[in-house]
Amino acid sequence: MKRKMLTFLIVLLLLLIAVYWSGFTTDAKEMNDRPSQKTTAKPVVVLVVDSLMDKPLKQAIQSGRAPALQFFMEKGTYYPEMISSYPTMSVTIDSTILTGTYADEHKLPGLVWYDQADNRIINYGSARGELVRLGLKNAIKDGVYRMNHHHLSRNVQTVHEELHRAGRQSASINGMIYRGDIKHPLAVPRALSRFNFLPEELVVEAPDLFVLGSLSHYDPINKKNAQAWQSFGMNDAFTVQELKNLVHKGKLPSFTLAYLPDLDKPVHQKGANDLKGIEKVDKELQKLLDSFDSWEEAKEKVVWVIMGDSGQTPVKEKHDNALIKLPSLSEHFTVEVGTGQISKEDQLVLALNERMAYIYLLDDDLAYEDVLSRLESDERIGWIAWKDDEVNHVQSGQTRLRYSKGGDLEDEYGVSWKMEGDPTVLDLFINGDQKIKSGDYPDALSRLYGALHSQEGRFLIVDAKPGYEFATKHSPTHAGGASHGSLYWEDSLAPMIVVGTDERPATNRHVDLKDWFLQLTK
């Protein structure tokens, strides 16, 4: 989805350390005994596999290339189409999974967004060119610290926070969203503190057990998976080794969320039909299952949830056609396009999240219609949305939908809406009993509402049609591969396998998983 947020940030550490310092080492911290937990439930382990999708998963299993995933599939319940958050970017999706809210409540709008209060673009890690132009210091501090401690709203609670307050332990292993109630010092490399990329002593609020690559880990032998060329531990092997360590020591807490990032890159580069990435993920999962006396014992002793975070949509091969170059707006407006230098003269700021983008209107004299008129003729754009007071507008070509919360219409998830205009803009249909049915954009109204109300200020959301993605000179692009970020179903749906429990989630939405996780740990 993206280049991986923390993965890329740790790669930046590689560049800094290679140039400025030698002898980078970190010591594993001790796993202290904790007070007894108030639960008799089996431990719950959630494995989030970045960009795992239904069709290639089934193909890998049918061809015999994924025996561990086949075991989980055969022993559990399969949900092929879980609906993610929007934008379909890791940080927003993971925030939704951990807090049980969409972006209007958890307040993480995307991988890239404009912070009106600080007057700067926040980029948790997209492409090297963008990060260098925006400033490496801010990128590292945003990704490692500010995202969890400042940007993620304090008005919502994570699974980790709620479990701790209920007397139950939890763990985060390489999760991007990790906020909890326990203070953990990070092992900050001297190179980063010496050049003021991070303070020499940095304490984060995280769960009882907390792993973040080389910055925080337990298993001393895991250094073999934490070399510079291995993103300093932000990889599948490192995540699985830390999990195996918990299993061997009998330290699995009530709830563990473990993040496996490696599949995302090959899917971006080669598309979903390349199964080598799934095969590599499966080999790590085999090692995890082998840490038990038998795979059957793993099924009996633990509740397993193996899930993708989002899908990816194929991008056309020819760059000129596949890439929607939003800096072309500079022919008509003064546009900040990723330099990080936002001036009083800038009328627009662009924040690209691959197949969706935020366009911020900084000039109070500039109307939405002024920008719309320059975009609506591009047939590669699926639709454009904005908010006006409590009314949300969505336009495709000359067709417009207006909607707001409350009203006589109800969607599949029991949310009431008022709609005016043409609902087919979002491929919605209203049946005879006033029920709203989604088509190509699952849970469209709530997910888009979340993005539209995720931040203050005036901005447009532009969403690409299948086959296209937005681009600036320094943004990551994936022509001939695959991409995500949009509201479209192919970006939005991901599979989930549940093993070891008969309890079922209330719906097929990621936003409803938090309550289910909490129920499983009781």
Side-chain angles (χ1 to χ4, degrees):
M1 359 178 150
K2 33 200 182 211
R3 303 278 178 95
K4 279 334 305 156
M5 185 274 297
L6 283 177
T7 302
F8 189 81
L9 290 179
I10 303 300
V11 171
L12 290 177
L13 308 193
L14 151 67
L15 299 175
L16 294 169
I17 292 164
V19 175
Y20 297 120
W21 208 261
S22 62
F24 172 76
T25 60
T26 58
D27 294 325
K29 56 186 179 179
E30 293 183 3
M31 191 184 302
N32 297 320
D33 290 331
R34 304 288 184 184
S36 298
Q37 303 181 67
K38 301 176 183 179
T39 180
T40 58
K42 292 192 295 185
V44 177
V45 176
V46 178
L47 304 173
V48 180
V49 182
D50 197 331
S51 296
L52 181 67
M53 291 176 280
D54 170 61
K55 184 178 177 180
L57 170 59
K58 289 178 178 175
Q59 290 175 339
I61 290 175
Q62 290 168 0
S63 60
R65 300 172 69 171
L69 287 165
Q70 180 177 351
F71 172 80
F72 284 126
M73 186 88 82
E74 291 176 347
K75 299 297 181 178
T77 304
Y78 185 58
Y79 302 84
E81 296 184 344
M82 297 295 293
I83 302 171
S84 69
S85 188
Y86 178 71
T88 43
M89 306 296 282
S90 286
V91 294
T92 302
I93 297 168
D94 294 353
S95 297
T96 289
I97 293 171
L98 268 293
T99 68
T101 65
Y102 282 139
D104 56 310
E105 295 186 64
H106 66 60
K107 301 301 182 183
L108 274 181
L111 187 69
V112 186
W113 56 285
Y114 169 67
D115 188 334
Q116 182 176 244
D118 286 351
N119 191 35
R120 68 185 183 92
I121 296 174
I122 307 294
N123 189 324
Y124 298 120
S126 55
R128 188 183 323 180
E130 282 190 318
L131 294 181
V132 169
R133 290 162 69 86
L134 293 172
L136 296 181
K137 290 183 180 180
N138 272 331
I140 293 173
K141 289 177 181 177
D142 285 339
V144 173
Y145 185 81
R146 293 186 188 122
M147 178 168 61
N148 281 276
H149 297 81
H150 298 313
H151 301 157
L152 183 67
S153 173
R154 291 287 178 173
N155 293 325
V156 298
Q157 292 185 10
T158 67
V159 170
H160 303 301
E161 291 169 320
E162 291 210 24
L163 285 172
H164 181 263
R165 294 163 198 181
R168 298 194 289 278
Q169 299 172 15
S170 67
S172 175
I173 301 180
N174 281 348
M176 291 176 285
I177 305 301
Y178 59 73
R179 198 177 69 199
D181 285 339
I182 306 298
K183 296 188 182 300
H184 292 265
L186 297 184
V188 177
R190 286 178 293 172
L192 293 183
S193 59
R194 178 179 180 180
F195 293 95
N196 197 32
F197 284 89
L198 287 175
E200 185 175 352
E201 296 182 0
L202 182 60
V203 176
V204 299
E205 299 169 27
D208 301 85
L209 301 173
F210 176 58
V211 173
L212 193 65
S214 293
L215 296 177
S216 178
H217 69 285
Y218 296 100
D219 192 343
I221 72 169
N222 219 354
K223 288 182 180 180
K224 69 178 187 293
N225 299 313
Q227 303 305 311
W229 58 89
Q230 298 168 308
S231 302
F232 289 104
M234 298 305 296
N235 60 71
D236 291 359
F238 192 96
T239 296
V240 168
Q241 184 60 39
E242 290 292 326
L243 265 174
K244 288 171 57 181
N245 187 44
L246 293 179
V247 171
H248 286 147
K249 293 188 174 182
K251 293 287 188 178
L252 278 177
S254 291
F255 177 84
T256 299
L257 188 140
Y259 182 59
L260 298 137
D262 292 355
L263 179 59
D264 181 67
K265 184 177 180 179
V267 175
H268 269 308
Q269 292 178 339
K270 301 178 182 179
N273 292 328
D274 183 81
L275 303 183
K276 291 181 180 179
I278 294 179
E279 189 173 4
K280 290 181 179 179
V281 171
D282 195 83
K283 288 180 179 178
E284 295 302 327
L285 296 182
Q286 292 173 47
K287 296 176 185 177
L288 178 57
L289 289 171
D290 288 341
S291 64
F292 294 84
D293 289 340
S294 68
W295 289 16
E296 284 292 331
E297 182 192 49
K299 176 181 75 74
E300 295 300 325
K301 287 191 172 182
V302 176
V303 174
W304 300 94
V305 179
I306 303 94
M307 59 183 293
D309 53 358
S310 77
Q312 293 201 33
T313 299
V315 179
K316 295 180 181 296
E317 292 188 5
K318 294 184 178 180
H319 282 71
D320 290 343
N321 183 34
L323 305 182
I324 307 170
K325 298 177 181 178
L326 288 180
S328 62
L329 289 169
S330 60
E331 297 174 6
H332 310 282
F333 310 102
T334 304
V335 182
E336 203 296 314
V337 292
T339 66
Q341 305 299 317
I342 301 173
S343 69
K344 295 180 179 180
E345 289 72 34
D346 287 326
Q347 295 175 291
L348 303 177
V349 171
L350 306 179
L352 276 58
N353 288 272
E354 297 186 15
R355 288 186 13 84
M356 75 83 71
Y358 291 110
I359 302 176
Y360 298 87
L361 282 65
L362 304 190
D363 185 346
D364 292 337
D365 295 328
L366 198 61
Y368 287 121
E369 297 291 344
D370 296 331
V371 185
L372 276 169
S373 64
R374 304 298 178 182
L375 295 170
E376 59 189 8
S377 62
D378 193 324
E379 295 183 355
R380 298 170 297 177
I381 295 176
W383 45 263
I384 306 166
W386 68 99
K387 66 177 186 290
D388 181 10
D389 296 325
E390 290 301 313
V391 178
N392 308 285
H393 304 260
V394 192
Q395 181 166 320
S396 178
Q398 299 301 312
T399 306
R400 183 175 297 185
L401 168 69
R402 294 172 293 280
Y403 77 98
S404 57
K405 284 196 171 183
D408 298 330
L409 302 174
E410 188 176 276
D411 66 23
E412 301 103 311
Y413 303 98
V415 182
S416 297
W417 301 98
K418 178 181 179 181
M419 291 198 302
E420 298 176 356
D422 190 344
T424 63
V425 171
L426 288 176
D427 200 33
L428 298 171
F429 306 90
I430 303 172
N431 62 22
D433 58 358
Q434 298 297 288
K435 298 289 186 180
I436 303 169
K437 301 296 182 183
S438 297
D440 282 343
Y441 302 106
D443 194 21
L445 297 179
S446 288
R447 296 168 68 217
L448 178 55
Y449 183 96
L452 285 169
H453 296 266
S454 62
Q455 50 198 308
E456 300 297 325
R458 296 193 308 141
F459 58 89
L460 296 163
I461 291 176
V462 288
D463 201 270
K465 288 182 179 178
Y468 307 101
E469 67 178 347
F470 296 101
T472 64
K473 183 177 180 181
H474 298 283
S475 65
T477 58
H478 309 95
S483 184
H484 48 78
S486 85
L487 196 68
Y488 187 65
W489 71 268
E490 209 163 358
D491 297 32
S492 303
L493 300 179
M496 182 173 77
I497 309 170
V498 180
V499 182
T501 179
D502 293 327
E503 298 289 333
R504 301 291 177 255
T507 74
N508 66 330
R509 302 188 303 174
H510 286 172
V511 73
D512 296 316
L513 290 179
K514 176 191 172 184
D515 289 341
W516 181 59
F517 292 153
L518 293 173
Q519 182 64 36
L520 290 175
T521 64
K522 290 183 178 179

